Amino acid sequence: MASLGNVKDSPSWKDSVNQFLSIRSPITPKNSSALEEILDDLCSSQAASRLRMIHDHGQLQKLIEHSVTLPVSPGERYFNLTCKFLNSLLRRQGGAFLSSETSDKVILWISEVLKSAGVQTMNEGALLEALQALANILRDAPDHTDEIYTSLAGTQGGLIRTIEFNASYYILAPTMQCLHLLTYVTPEVITETRQLGEEIFPAEVVSSIQRIVIRILKQPSPIPCICPHKLYLNLITSCLNVIYNLVVCAPNDVLGNIIVSACRPYMFYGLPGFAHSELMQYATETEIDIPVSSGVDSDVSSRGNFLPQNYTNRNRRKRLRRKRAQPSRSTSDSSSGACPLMPGIEGVAASLKNPPPASALAGISLKPQWARTDSCGNKENSSSSTDVATTDENSSGVASCNNSSVEVRSSGSETDVSDIEGGSEKESILMARVRQSSLQAINAVIDKVGKQHKFSYWPPLMCQSPSLMTSVLKDPSPLVRMASLQVINTFLLDSSQVLTLAVDKEGKGSYTTLGHQLGTSLQELHRCLALALLSEKFPGALVRTLKTIELLVENVNYSKLKPGLLTKIVTHVKYFMRYKEAVVQANAFSVMVSILMIKPQVPELQDILLRYQTPAPLSLSSPLEVVNSSALEEELPGEEIDEESNRKKPTEAINSGSEDEAQGKTMVSWLIQRCVDSLLTPDPDAVRGIYIQVQLQSLKVLSAFVSEHLPLIHQSLPLIQHVISVCSDAMKEPQATPVDFTCESSDIDPSLMSTDPGVVVEHAYTLLGSLLGAVKTETERVSNGCISSEQAQQLWLWTLQGPLQALLQLAATHLKVCASDGEERSKSKLDADTNWRRRESEVPRSQEQVKQIVAMATVLSHLNSTTFESLGEEWISKVIITVKWLVTNNDPELRLAGVRIMAIIVGFSGVVGNPGGPNLLQETIVTTFDILSEKEGNVNRDRLLASWALANMSSVLEVYCENWKHSESGSEDKLLSSQLIARLLEVGIRTCNDKNKIRTHGVRCVGNVTSFLNATHAAHPSIAPLVTKSVEMLVTCCSTGNNMKTRWNACYALGNILSSGRLPITTVPWRGQVLMTLGKLLESFKNYKVRIQACSALCSLRTREEFGAEYISIWHVLFKGLDNAQNIIDYQEIRHRDELLNQICQGICQLTTHLTLEDAGMLSELLQLHQDMAQPLFRKAHLSLPPERTGFTLSAQSRVEELLRSDALTEPQEQALTILQNLMAGEDVNARN
């Protein structure tokens, strides 16, 4: 062993290498024997064992390049030795050091070897060596050119021909493994090709791979003497992974239905009670294929990733976000240990090939196995200790894969023959890997097929026995169970439009409807998921099961199904709200959020929420007291702390409640009590970072409860207020000590005894906002509201004095600091409270503090006008000061929060009449200018919010000016200067050129400001050109674009400008262009709502002079629009047809009020032409119009009668007026007269 380091430099080695490199093609019989001797020497066991000691990559690359220059002669012995030598080089050193050109040369040479093996007789050992060399180089060199793909996997490719012309499974398995490695594509390449709209694989390659792989999958299992079982399992696993890679990389070219039918039998491979030969009968039948779409309608996220993930909190009203699906590279790490068999369920047979009826649940304990009695648990532990140990081993193996996705699995020995034959892995692990790979391929097909077609796979996978739920209930491997649940999740995601068709009963008929089939399968799905919760022990599978239930609840319309399904779900899920694993608890709470958000609501849910109740403490049974505004003075720091400590209520008082004390107490729903327990008495054994997710989900449950079911729990508001107060205590002072929840146990970690100062506080204010939003809705109801105006006022006073007190004090302190900046330094020594507040205002805040302040400020956006005005002048002033502080803050998030609040309260009379209201309006307008003018870091969300706020504020400019004039403040110019108006128009015009959603608000802003202007404003040199640009922009927006909302708003804005009477319409140069554009829209535009608004704007001019020369042409437009309004092209517009006809009839009446005798003579021919068409439409309009809209009809009648009494009427004039009189004289109108 001392000479190992000198092997490379030994004369024999150097001579052999030099002699090998000196041999050139063609190979003659003379140098053939010499080449064989050299290769024998290089491939000897001694030399092969020392190849790993070679570190000269240049020499290795020369050896590899020279090896692939030798001719392909399968019948020659030197060729067999060349394949062996090449494989030794690549196996020992790998192919990562090779250049891309060298790798391509090696792959093409091996491809020629494989092609020749199908024509000439070739030694099987040499063929295996070539396949192993190819696998080594494909593993280290992904992402190939079309030439490589076609050479290996085209119609005449080397790998395809090897599979077609070789019946030996010892050749098929490594060949399929090479095909698996060939189809692996890195995520970067997939992303780039998707962006460019290109294809990764040539169509010929995809077609040939599908054909050969599906043929292998549909073949019956070989007998053991022909193919060892482990070798066959590895072959099938590779086939399934190849299919998965094709679906991910080439979704447009794969045959989805054929793939699913071929993969379905392998979902149950190796499960007891299911014969694979029987399941294969489904795969051999002819299938009608549905092409897989490009995935535009489908979420292209990775629903094929079956490894357990770190489950964290997600947004309630958003879909599940997952990583993009990427190709699978290896399957060697699917699991690291044996997968134990799950114990049977009490009362249910072991075999679930024919699922037991739903009545079988009657004899089953409703508690999951972990929550049953100790005696049962001890018995189970004593009888299955081996299984528990195996489960732990498997769990650790699964946990080790948490941070790695399916597509990056790799193993250093995955190309060894021992691994291909199964190695030391148990057959149970290999069979579980087959089932998992099959489910992975099926999930990829369903994911890529799109929402429109994925339910065509529902019957074979969910309704036929065995189904996916069979795999969930029977499979011993937790990874396979999770894979089955993932397929169900893919079905359920965005499936509400289809699942809403499900019905419980159907009428008499000769066939089963789709709705009844969906209803039956959904009932079975509820039953099986309940059984899965009862029997599951693996935390990752429990989490996946709960997420499946959550998706099921979100997408099913329970109002059409038989009652009892929700009761079953809640009965089983509520036990997991106290599970030992915090991540399971969090997902159980998340399921309850989905249940509370069910729409339309069902009576069963109300019974579930109120079935079990516990008494609330007497101290929290009545509304919390609020302090009179006169008693609110700024306290010293010591006094503030004492008051806060006095307001903290012990948690034991909340959770206590004996039967004798329950009398006279308010009853609390069990769900609210569970949420309160998780928030105020955290689990001492839980990891804080994970348990925070439980607290967040608890707050979300309470938010959903108060927002959707406030009438049911309005008596529990004091308890919810207490929870909000405790969770928001972290915002009281910067250096506040952790809040003690009066848990006296010294064994509990103190870090768990206070809420998280970040995200939990934010969600606490989200809960407060949901509560106040629900209260706002209840108070705005005309009748049957559970909250009175006085209660809403008291709740807001408590909010301002409690949870929002820190925000109000922060704004007030900032105002005092700004006012005292000009004072002398000697007077700057304030009390301790002012000192820390001054430092707080000067020191930059962290991101967490900013988020908390934004969450607090968002609560103010739930104010309504009535409640706001009832708070009193003092609180109104404090709110206005706070909003101004937010609007003028340097932090962009705080500015956005202030702008949002101001956009909501800007029209409140309490703000308009307050002395600080006009100044707040000016500051907010300037802030929105800055937000819309920022170029860097300005996202669409910010611009959308700012443009919406600017549109809202521009709509009340006239109100503020009128209030300003009646006050002693001065002239209007001090409120809105010419520079500010010009800036408003400039920003509004620029916003109209933004994206569609932002453009809509820009149109509103331009229309509001332009209609507000008077002749003096319009004549100002800086405003006059902007008025013309504004009108031109509105004309462009109403006549172009695909956003109908923008067009409607532009028509509405033009109508306000024409009808305001503030601008000299008769002399403006753009009047004709506006009227012509509105006339074209009214005449023949496809959208009826836009036509209605265009008609309203066109006829809104106040005098005949304002119509000018376009008056007669407008009559022609109206009658033509009235005629073609009945010719509906889009059936969706039929609901707006009657309103359009009524609006046109009303517009004709408006024009008639401005009619003159000269106009009547010019309209005689038009009226005679259309009177037969218009008469029934006018009669119908008179009957359908409400009394408040008949004013123009009465005015038109009066005008026509006045003209008929004129002297010396011409015949055309008399005919026109007579026709108009008949049109205006509807029966309904005469009856009213």
Side-chain angles (χ1 to χ4, degrees):
M1 299 300 291
S3 61
L4 282 177
N6 299 324
V7 170
K8 177 183 172 183
D9 299 326
S10 61
S12 59
W13 173 262
K14 296 180 62 175
D15 293 342
S16 299
V17 169
N18 293 333
Q19 292 175 9
F20 176 72
L21 295 176
S22 64
I23 296 178
R24 296 285 184 268
S25 298
I27 304 299
T28 62
K30 181 177 180 180
N31 58 9
S32 174
S33 58
L35 180 59
E36 292 176 3
E37 293 179 0
I38 296 173
L39 289 173
D40 276 330
D41 186 23
L42 292 175
C43 294
S44 63
S45 58
Q46 183 179 5
S49 63
R50 288 163 175 75
L51 285 176
R52 68 185 65 189
M53 305 300 297
I54 303 177
H55 300 291
D56 188 355
H57 288 171
Q59 187 182 49
L60 286 173
Q61 186 158 337
K62 289 180 181 179
L63 291 172
I64 293 174
E65 289 180 350
H66 187 69
S67 299
V68 299
T69 58
L70 299 178
V72 177
S73 302
E76 301 292 337
R77 182 173 179 271
Y78 77 85
F79 174 73
N80 298 338
L81 293 173
T82 303
C83 294
K84 182 178 180 181
F85 179 59
L86 180 62
N87 182 36
S88 299
L89 291 174
L90 293 173
R91 183 173 67 248
R92 304 298 179 183
Q93 299 292 335
F97 65 92
L98 297 178
S99 62
S100 58
E101 294 80 5
T102 304
S103 299
D104 291 347
K105 290 180 182 179
V106 175
I107 293 174
L108 292 175
W109 186 82
I110 297 177
S111 176
E112 293 299 323
V113 172
L114 299 177
K115 291 179 183 178
S116 63
V119 179
Q120 306 179 29
T121 303
M122 184 175 178
N123 182 272
E124 185 172 314
L127 184 57
L128 281 175
E129 295 286 353
L131 289 171
Q132 292 176 16
L134 179 62
N136 280 316
I137 200 166
L138 288 176
R139 180 189 61 203
D140 295 324
D143 304 330
H144 308 285
T145 61
D146 288 352
E147 181 185 5
I148 298 295
Y149 288 129
T150 306
S151 176
L152 287 175
T155 306
Q156 300 297 324
L159 293 174
I160 301 299
R161 291 177 64 85
T162 302
I163 296 175
E164 289 177 342
F165 292 100
N166 285 275
S168 173
Y169 283 91
Y170 290 96
I171 300 298
L172 290 179
T175 306
M176 190 57 63
Q177 194 173 41
C178 292
L179 205 57
H180 177 204
L181 294 172
L182 177 68
T183 54
Y184 172 76
V185 182
T186 56
E188 294 78 10
V189 174
I190 293 179
T191 303
E192 182 180 357
T193 53
R194 281 172 176 167
Q195 293 174 351
L196 299 177
E198 300 176 351
E199 298 294 337
I200 298 177
F201 302 134
E204 174 190 359
V205 172
V206 177
S207 177
S208 59
I209 293 178
Q210 281 187 103
R211 174 178 53 83
I212 201 70
V213 172
I214 293 176
R215 190 189 74 181
I216 294 176
L217 290 175
K218 290 190 175 184
Q219 289 178 354
S221 303
I223 58 178
C225 62
I226 297 179
C227 175
H229 193 213
K230 291 184 178 181
L231 180 64
Y232 177 71
L233 294 176
N234 280 283
L235 170 64
I236 296 300
T237 302
S238 298
C239 290
L240 295 170
N241 286 326
V242 170
I243 289 293
Y244 172 77
N245 289 352
L246 287 182
V247 175
V248 172
C249 298
N252 296 326
D253 300 325
V254 296
L255 305 175
N257 205 37
I258 296 178
I259 290 175
V260 171
S261 64
C263 295
R264 183 180 180 275
Y266 296 96
M267 291 167 46
F268 315 99
Y269 190 90
L271 289 181
F274 301 101
H276 185 66
S277 57
E278 296 179 3
L279 297 174
M280 288 294 293
Q281 294 177 1
Y282 297 100
T284 56
E285 298 176 358
T286 304
E287 300 287 345
I288 300 177
D289 181 58
I290 298 177
V292 175
S293 67
S294 61
V296 175
D297 295 333
S298 174
D299 183 15
V300 292
S301 58
S302 164
R303 298 161 199 155
N305 188 351
F306 301 123
L307 294 178
Q309 304 293 325
N310 294 324
Y311 299 95
T312 58
N313 171 50
R314 69 176 180 88
N315 198 324
R316 284 301 326 138
R317 302 309 301 168
K318 292 184 179 180
R319 64 172 55 180
L320 293 174
R321 303 184 181 273
R322 303 183 184 93
K323 297 179 181 178
R324 288 180 178 270
Q326 303 295 348
S328 171
R329 187 171 187 177
S330 171
T331 58
S332 59
D333 62 345
S334 295
S335 63
S336 59
C339 300
L341 290 172
M342 296 302 298
I345 304 171
E346 295 180 9
V348 180
S351 175
L352 290 178
K353 184 174 182 180
N354 296 319
S359 58
L361 280 174
I364 301 177
S365 172
L366 293 182
K367 290 187 178 181
Q369 292 191 3
W370 60 268
R372 295 180 186 175
T373 59
D374 295 336
S375 58
C376 179
N378 295 335
K379 180 179 179 181
E380 182 183 358
N381 292 337
S382 61
S383 62
S384 59
S385 58
T386 306
D387 290 345
V388 172
T390 311
T391 303
D392 293 339
E393 179 185 354
N394 185 49
S395 302
S396 62
V398 173
S400 64
C401 303
N402 273 348
N403 297 326
S404 62
S405 55
V406 177
E407 66 273 9
V408 295
R409 296 176 294 193
S410 60
S411 174
S413 61
E414 64 184 355
T415 58
D416 293 343
V417 179
S418 61
D419 285 347
I420 295 175
E421 295 179 356
S424 60
E425 292 182 303
K426 296 180 179 180
E427 287 190 1
S428 60
I429 298 176
L430 297 176
M431 289 188 293
R433 192 174 299 163
V434 168
R435 298 192 296 272
Q436 182 183 359
S437 299
S438 173
L439 291 164
Q440 182 179 358
I442 292 174
N443 184 76
V445 171
I446 298 173
D447 178 37
K448 298 299 178 182
V449 78
K451 294 187 293 185
Q452 298 178 353
H453 300 296
K454 69 179 180 180
F455 269 89
S456 61
Y457 301 109
W458 181 278
L461 294 175
M462 296 295 295
C463 300
Q464 294 181 7
S465 180
S467 65
L468 285 170
M469 290 310 304
T470 306
S471 177
V472 173
L473 293 172
K474 281 205 63 178
D475 202 290
S477 171
L479 292 179
V480 179
R481 296 196 298 274
M482 293 172 65
S484 303
L485 290 168
Q486 184 62 49
V487 179
I488 300 175
N489 290 353
T490 307
F491 269 126
L492 296 176
L493 196 63
D494 297 328
S495 61
S496 57
Q497 293 183 352
V498 177
L499 294 183
T500 191
L501 302 175
V503 294
D504 196 36
K505 297 180 180 179
E506 65 174 352
K508 296 181 179 179
S510 58
Y511 63 93
T512 302
T513 62
L514 173 62
H516 181 66
Q517 189 176 17
L518 285 174
T520 304
S521 60
L522 286 178
Q523 289 183 5
E524 186 68 12
L525 184 57
H526 281 80
R527 184 189 69 84
C528 293
L529 289 175
L531 290 174
L533 282 179
L534 287 173
S535 60
E536 188 61 70
K537 290 183 178 179
F538 185 64
L542 273 176
V543 170
R544 188 65 59 87
T545 305
L546 290 170
K547 286 191 174 293
T548 304
I549 295 175
E550 181 181 352
L551 283 173
L552 180 65
V553 171
E554 289 178 355
N555 291 279
V556 172
N557 187 353
Y558 287 93
S559 62
K560 296 183 178 180
L561 299 178
K562 184 184 300 184
L565 297 179
L566 286 176
T567 303
K568 182 182 299 183
I569 289 177
V570 174
T571 302
H572 292 79
V573 171
K574 69 177 183 179
Y575 288 103
F576 293 92
M577 299 170 71
R578 298 184 183 275
Y579 193 73
K580 56 185 178 181
E581 296 287 343
V583 65
V584 177
Q585 289 187 45
N587 281 272
F589 278 103
S590 184
V591 172
M592 298 308 302
V593 174
S594 299
I595 292 175
L596 291 171
M597 300 296 292
I598 287 177
K599 292 182 180 179
Q601 296 182 5
V602 291
E604 179 187 2
L605 182 56
Q606 179 178 353
D607 179 67
I608 293 172
L609 298 177
L610 300 180
R611 180 177 299 176
Y612 304 105
Q613 295 182 336
T614 57
L618 291 177
S619 58
L620 296 177
S621 299
S622 57
L624 300 182
E625 297 181 357
V626 294
V627 184
N628 295 329
S629 57
S630 59
L632 289 177
E633 298 179 357
E634 190 173 2
E635 305 90 349
L636 295 176
E639 297 175 349
E640 197 171 2
I641 294 176
D642 293 339
E643 183 180 355
E644 287 181 9
S645 61
N646 292 332
R647 282 193 285 119
K648 292 182 174 62
K649 304 297 182 182
T651 309
E652 289 80 0
I654 299 178
N655 297 325
S656 63
S658 58
E659 295 183 359
D660 52 351
E661 294 177 349
Q663 298 179 357
K665 293 184 178 180
T666 302
M667 305 303 291
V668 179
S669 172
W670 63 271
L671 185 55
I672 294 181
Q673 185 63 54
R674 179 65 192 97
C675 295
V676 172
D677 292 343
S678 65
L679 289 168
L680 304 185
T681 55
D683 185 2
D685 298 328
V687 179
R688 176 163 176 77
I690 300 177
Y691 191 79
I692 286 177
Q693 301 299 326
V694 179
Q695 295 178 318
L696 296 184
Q697 294 299 333
S698 300
L699 290 170
K700 286 189 174 185
V701 170
L702 292 177
S703 298
F705 219 138
V706 298
S707 62
E708 300 295 332
H709 306 278
L710 183 61
L712 298 181
I713 61 165
H714 67 278
Q715 296 181 351
S716 304
L717 288 184
L719 180 59
I720 297 176
Q721 290 176 254
H722 176 74
V723 171
I724 296 173
S725 299
V726 172
C727 293
S728 61
D729 275 343
M731 285 295 295
K732 294 300 180 182
E733 287 191 14
Q735 305 295 332
T737 57
V739 180
D740 183 12
F741 290 143
T742 66
C743 267
E744 299 178 356
S745 175
S746 59
D747 299 332
I748 299 179
D749 184 3
S751 64
L752 291 175
M753 301 317 300
S754 62
T755 58
D756 183 70
V759 65
V760 175
V761 173
E762 297 173 28
H763 281 73
Y765 285 104
T766 302
L767 169 59
L768 178 58
S770 300
L771 173 60
L772 295 174
V775 169
K776 177 182 177 181
T777 303
E778 289 294 325
T779 53
E780 291 176 350
R781 287 186 178 181
V782 179
S783 60
N784 299 328
C786 65
I787 301 295
S788 63
S789 300
E790 293 76 11
Q791 290 174 325
Q793 178 192 20
Q794 292 298 315
L795 184 60
W796 267 106
L797 288 175
W798 168 82
T799 301
L800 296 174
Q801 296 175 14
L804 296 188
Q805 182 183 8
L807 178 65
L808 299 179
Q809 290 181 354
L810 194 61
T813 304
H814 176 77
L815 181 63
K816 292 180 181 179
V817 170
C818 293
S820 62
D821 280 343
E823 297 181 359
E824 299 178 358
R825 291 290 180 179
S826 58
K827 298 182 179 180
S828 63
K829 295 182 180 181
L830 306 176
D831 53 41
D833 183 56
T834 306
N835 284 336
W836 74 258
R837 293 185 190 277
R838 177 186 292 273
R839 291 194 299 270
E840 176 68 16
S841 62
E842 294 175 354
V843 177
R845 296 178 180 85
S846 64
Q847 192 66 22
E848 290 75 12
Q849 291 175 329
V850 170
K851 289 181 179 179
Q852 294 168 20
I853 297 176
V854 170
M856 298 171 68
T858 307
V859 175
L860 294 175
S861 63
H862 297 282
L863 280 165
N864 64 348
S865 180
T866 304
T867 306
F868 184 70
E869 294 167 8
S870 66
L871 296 178
E873 289 295 331
E874 184 175 354
W875 286 112
I876 290 176
S877 299
K878 288 185 178 182
V879 172
I880 291 177
I881 291 173
T882 302
V883 176
K884 182 179 178 181
W885 174 72
L886 291 170
V887 167
T888 58
N889 202 282
N890 294 328
D891 189 89
E893 294 296 329
L894 297 182
R895 288 203 306 271
L896 283 173
V899 167
R900 182 172 185 265
I901 299 170
M902 183 57 185
I904 294 173
I905 68 173
V906 65
F908 292 179
S909 58
V911 178
V912 176
N914 191 276
N919 182 257
L920 176 59
L921 177 67
Q922 295 174 341
E923 295 289 350
T924 309
I925 291 176
V926 173
T927 300
T928 54
F929 290 163
D930 297 339
I931 296 174
L932 292 171
S933 302
E934 291 177 359
K935 300 298 183 182
E936 299 181 0
N938 195 1
V939 295
N940 295 337
R941 175 184 66 89
D942 299 349
R943 296 202 311 276
L944 179 61
L945 177 60
S947 60
W948 167 73
L950 196 62
N952 285 2
M953 289 183 290
S954 62
S955 64
V956 295
L957 293 178
E958 187 173 356
V959 178
Y960 275 84
C961 288
E962 290 294 331
N963 183 77
W964 186 269
K965 290 178 182 178
H966 291 86
S967 65
E968 299 178 357
S969 301
S971 64
E972 182 180 329
D973 293 337
K974 293 183 179 180
L975 175 64
L976 295 173
S977 62
S978 301
Q979 292 79 6
L980 186 62
I981 295 176
R983 186 86 184 277
L984 268 171
L985 290 174
E986 290 176 355
V987 173
I989 293 172
R990 185 170 63 250
T991 307
C992 290
N993 293 319
D994 212 313
K995 296 185 178 181
N996 282 337
K997 291 184 179 181
I998 302 175
R999 184 182 306 166
T1000 301
H1001 302 304
V1003 167
R1004 289 178 55 211
C1005 176
V1006 171
N1008 292 333
V1009 176
T1010 308
S1011 62
F1012 164 76
L1013 300 177
N1014 53 33
T1016 305
H1017 292 144
H1020 194 278
S1022 61
I1023 298 179
L1026 292 175
V1027 173
T1028 304
K1029 289 182 180 180
S1030 299
V1031 176
E1032 292 176 351
M1033 178 58 67
L1034 292 176
V1035 170
T1036 302
C1037 290
C1038 73
S1039 58
T1040 59
N1042 297 324
N1043 191 330
M1044 297 300 111
K1045 188 175 181 180
T1046 300
R1047 287 195 166 199
W1048 188 94
N1049 281 332
C1051 293
Y1052 182 82
L1054 290 174
N1056 285 341
I1057 295 173
L1058 295 176
S1059 62
S1060 64
R1062 302 169 68 91
L1063 294 177
I1065 301 298
T1066 56
T1067 59
V1068 293
W1070 38 263
R1071 182 194 62 184
Q1073 182 186 9
V1074 171
L1075 296 178
M1076 182 180 64
T1077 303
L1078 293 174
K1080 288 182 179 179
L1081 289 173
L1082 170 61
E1083 188 175 343
S1084 59
F1085 191 60
K1086 61 181 181 179
N1087 188 279
Y1088 277 24
K1089 293 186 70 174
V1090 175
R1091 292 178 67 176
I1092 292 170
Q1093 193 57 49
C1095 179
S1096 176
L1098 188 63
C1099 303
S1100 61
L1101 292 172
R1102 301 161 64 92
T1103 63
R1104 174 64 179 82
E1105 290 75 16
E1106 292 181 351
F1107 282 98
E1110 289 81 8
Y1111 182 77
I1112 302 300
S1113 62
I1114 293 175
W1115 276 89
H1116 285 267
V1117 167
L1118 287 173
F1119 275 102
K1120 189 172 182 179
L1122 188 67
D1123 189 14
N1124 64 25
Q1126 304 175 76
N1127 304 325
I1128 299 177
I1129 300 176
D1130 187 358
Y1131 73 94
Q1132 295 181 352
E1133 300 297 330
I1134 193 172
R1135 54 182 175 174
H1136 306 300
R1137 180 188 59 184
D1138 293 341
E1139 179 60 28
L1140 175 60
L1141 294 174
N1142 294 342
Q1143 184 63 52
I1144 295 177
C1145 292
Q1146 187 175 347
I1148 293 175
C1149 294
Q1150 289 180 257
L1151 291 181
T1152 305
T1153 59
H1154 307 301
L1155 188 69
T1156 63
L1157 290 177
E1158 183 181 357
D1159 297 332
M1162 300 174 64
L1163 293 174
S1164 177
E1165 183 178 355
L1166 175 68
L1167 292 172
Q1168 293 180 25
L1169 180 64
H1170 292 95
Q1171 65 174 338
D1172 294 337
M1173 176 271 298
Q1175 187 67 44
L1177 297 178
F1178 265 84
R1179 186 178 300 111
K1180 183 179 179 181
H1182 291 323
L1183 294 174
S1184 60
L1185 283 175
E1188 59 270 14
R1189 293 183 61 182
T1190 58
F1192 288 110
T1193 304
L1194 298 176
S1195 300
Q1197 284 181 338
S1198 301
R1199 180 59 180 171
V1200 171
E1201 292 174 357
E1202 178 184 352
L1203 294 177
L1204 283 173
R1205 290 193 296 267
S1206 302
D1207 298 333
L1209 289 176
T1210 64
E1211 183 178 356
Q1213 292 174 350
E1214 186 174 1
Q1215 290 177 351
L1217 292 175
T1218 303
I1219 294 173
L1220 286 175
Q1221 187 180 31
N1222 294 333
L1223 291 178
M1224 304 303 162
E1227 295 181 1
D1228 233 3
V1229 176
N1230 293 332
R1232 295 189 192 106
N1233 291 337

